Amino acid sequence: MQVYDIVKEKAQSAHDASRLLATTNASVKNRALLAMAQALLDQADIVLQANAKDMEHAQAIGMKNSMQDRLRLTRERISSMAEGLRLVAALKDPIGEVIGGQTLSNGLSMTKVRVPFGVVGIIYEARPNVTADAIGLCIKSGNAVVLKGGSEALHSNAAIVKILSAAATEAGIAEGCIQFIDVADREAVIDLIRMNGLVDVVIPRGSHRLIQAVVQQATVPVIETGAGVCHTFVDESADFPMARKIALNAKVQRPSVCNAMETLLVHENIAQAFIPLMMDDFEAAGVTVFGCTKAQQIDQRIKPATDEDWATEYGDLRLSLKVVSSLQEAMDHIAQYGTKHSECIVTESMQNAHFFQAGVDAAVVYVNASTRFTDGFEFGFGAEIGISTQKLHARGPMALPELTSYKYLITGNGQIRG
Amino acid sequence: MQVYDIVKEKAQSAHDASRLLATTNASVKNRALLAMAQALLDQADIVLQANAKDMEHAQAIGMKNSMQDRLRLTRERISSMAEGLRLVAALKDPIGEVIGGQTLSNGLSMTKVRVPFGVVGIIYEARPNVTADAIGLCIKSGNAVVLKGGSEALHSNAAIVKILSAAATEAGIAEGCIQFIDVADREAVIDLIRMNGLVDVVIPRGSHRLIQAVVQQATVPVIETGAGVCHTFVDESADFPMARKIALNAKVQRPSVCNAMETLLVHENIAQAFIPLMMDDFEAAGVTVFGCTKAQQIDQRIKPATDEDWATEYGDLRLSLKVVSSLQEAMDHIAQYGTKHSECIVTESMQNAHFFQAGVDAAVVYVNASTRFTDGFEFGFGAEIGISTQKLHARGPMALPELTSYKYLITGNGQIRG
């Protein structure tokens, strides 16, 4: 069978099954999620064997150690995947929630209710735990799911899908709701993201390159996730100890993630006093700092930054640092180089805090707190399928409600339009 | 200048201006809308002269009469465009509305507020009134707008934009918020819908062909609008007079619009009794009916339908009619041929009404009312930029809130992530 036909058949099966899943009761879905968690624990050996094959291949091709670490499954990691499914089961079911409504002047009763999208396509890389997470969130939100993981995790993903699918079906979820594209061909991604009419939305998770490829080539609506060139601006009125604590945390607590800080902006009126103290913290934490000319003049530990640095998501212990002459210059820099993810001002000025929050265009705009809090769990959503960096549909951390659409139910007694 | 450069320059201007518009107070925006309405009335002659040029060209190329009618402006039509702007001024400002929030367990205060998208691209055809409507709704919702109208209305659109832009700027709206692409080249559309980073969302309005071309080629997020193959299902328990009234209204009250009915489904248990009565109504209204074999056997006025008929949005006084053996068959037919726009069941059965509303996947699902009500004004929204037929972001009639995104404002006192 051609790749296109394989993908279409799976999308069609998901589409057909999604009609049944859309009206499946919360109790059935929750029972299925708990059964899936248990099945994963019971059959952990099968998953570990499959993962061993992927790891063997990874070593054979000389995959980077950091990538290998993401790919590796252990009994503990499988337990935490199972625990994730249990936590999702415990969350409030978003489907059927009434989110608006009124009686129209002609007596028509109108109710706006949450419904599933239908079919969600997930394109992702490396980490096999995304497989279980995505399946759990999609089933709970009443969506059938078509998964296309990276070829490097093919055996692990296939094993997880097989176990979860069987448990779901056994627990009463319509067969076909969980589809896995086991074709390594990249053509399969293109086919999936152009399957209009069968796939309702596509969420890419992974590298910038992967996400941009999906955005550029998809005809199905996409939710863009993940790119984060996040800034912290230390205003002239900032409390120094607070600013140092926040900036250090934003950079070093977990530098590989999208809500970590990539650029520190410092008001010139405090630059001379603040930067050397801050650099002591960064030096102690092993951070390499690339700065503008002014910053370099203040502290010799700062290396020269190029224009490219301001636009770079390092994802590691590198940082760019710029001295700005005003709040407005800081905001202009963020507007030019930011990715509309998470931005922070550290200030004691009410006026500047308000101006910054109103004027900065990003999913999350912080005053006096680390950008690292942009996360579905930290936000109290109880789950996260990704962090949207687009403005259509959902922005910032996406959980169950962000995996839904809505419809209007209108009931009358013969009303016609005049 | 190359077409691409022209489009990019306009998108960049809109993007830059949108930063200012995003924080412009409601009072300034409303004053601008009223000034725009007045300017349109004051300078109606200029608009009429420009429109005369477009009409002359339309006649010269032998444009269809129905198209010419859409293109034609009169003093009355200009008045109603002005009135539309005044009505939008009177609506509640969506920007800054708090739509969620909480205090997180670590004391962070989180507020979710409505913000504009930034820059909205509108691709449309024929009707010059869309120009004024779209500008009014975008400015009110804090969005800069880039308009690309059809070449057949170039002079009319350009005149309207010039008048409204001048009035807006005079009233305090940032220069550059209203951009009009006056290049007739179709390449300009492609450039606009691939202007990621400068354009935040694109809304195509017009023919199925135009909308599909945008969906297929855009890389900027799109809101798909307008295609409507709407059904009315007359259940076996239906009240006949009510069913006839609803079906007639859904078909004939304004057959050219997307919420008009294209297919009537009739339960076989009442087909023999109901269809001849219904056909009397349709005959009197000049409706041509294409039906399945069973329907044709019941009433000789029904012509044979082909498979293509079930998928056709006639947009005129033609209708397809199918006899179905059950509620499930009706719903399966709708799932196969519907465009997820507006669907109706006429029934006296509570159970069937509930089953239909829960199981039919469409923006609006009616019980005992005409599908013609799917409209922003009828829904009490006070405005409409289009009717979304996709599930991402907005579904059904879109008004001011549907032209917004949101952001999270988080304020702390030094919180960092542990």
Side-chain angles (χ1 to χ4, degrees), chain B residues 233-238 240 265-276 294 298 322-327 329 352:
Chain B
F233 169 54
V234 182
D235 192 21
E236 58 180 323
S237 68
F240 278 18
L265 302 169
V266 179
H267 196 290
E268 66 177 0
N269 292 356
I270 56 156
Q272 194 73 49
F274 180 75
I275 288 177
K294 277 185 195 166
I298 292 168
K322 188 176 163 72
V323 175
V324 293
S325 60
S326 65
L327 171 60
E329 190 188 336
N352 289 0

Side-chain angles (χ1 to χ4, degrees), chain A residues 173-288:
Chain A
I173 298 295
E175 220 164 318
C177 282
I178 303 168
Q179 298 289 333
F180 177 67
I181 297 177
D182 51 5
V183 185
D185 203 324
R186 283 189 85 80
E187 182 61 29
V189 174
I190 310 295
D191 292 336
L192 179 60
I193 66 182
R194 301 182 75 93
M195 210 52 85
N196 297 60
L198 296 181
V199 177
D200 294 286
V201 55
V202 165
I203 305 175
R205 285 185 56 168
S207 68
H208 183 66
R209 221 179 68 165
L210 170 82
I211 291 166
Q212 285 313 307
V214 170
V215 167
Q216 288 298 318
Q217 298 179 77
T219 53
V220 167
V222 177
I223 302 182
E224 200 173 338
T225 67
V229 177
C230 303
H231 300 75
T232 301
F233 169 54
V234 182
D235 193 20
E236 57 180 323
S237 68
D239 174 77
F240 279 18
M242 187 198 286
R244 288 168 65 180
K245 192 174 68 159
I246 288 172
L248 186 69
N249 183 261
K251 181 67 240 178
V252 310
Q253 198 255 345
R254 197 170 168 203
S256 65
V257 292
C258 59
N259 57 22
M261 171 176 68
E262 308 297 348
T263 302
L264 181 66
L265 302 170
V266 179
H267 196 290
E268 65 177 1
N269 291 355
I270 55 156
Q272 194 72 50
F274 180 76
I275 287 177
L277 297 171
M278 188 76 242
M279 284 303 296
D280 291 346
D281 300 338
F282 283 142
E283 192 178 39
V287 178
T288 308

Side-chain angles (χ1 to χ4, degrees), chain B residues 282-317:
Chain B
F282 283 142
E283 192 177 41
V287 178
T288 308
V289 180
F290 303 90
C292 63
T293 317
K294 277 185 195 166
Q296 289 172 65
Q297 282 161 358
I298 292 168
D299 195 304
Q300 293 191 342
R301 291 170 288 187
I302 298 174
K303 300 183 199 305
T306 64
D307 259 7
E308 208 186 328
D309 279 298
W310 312 122
T312 301
E313 183 173 5
Y314 298 115
D316 55 30
L317 287 175

Side-chain angles (χ1 to χ4, degrees), chain A residues 100-136:
Chain A
Q102 58 183 310
T103 301
L104 303 181
S105 55
N106 57 8
L108 283 177
S109 140
M110 179 172 108
T111 311
K112 185 178 180 181
V113 295
R114 274 197 203 286
V115 297
F117 282 129
V119 177
V120 176
I122 310 270
I123 323 276
Y124 59 110
E125 286 169 335
R127 294 179 193 272
N129 63 309
V130 172
T131 310
D133 287 358
I135 290 174

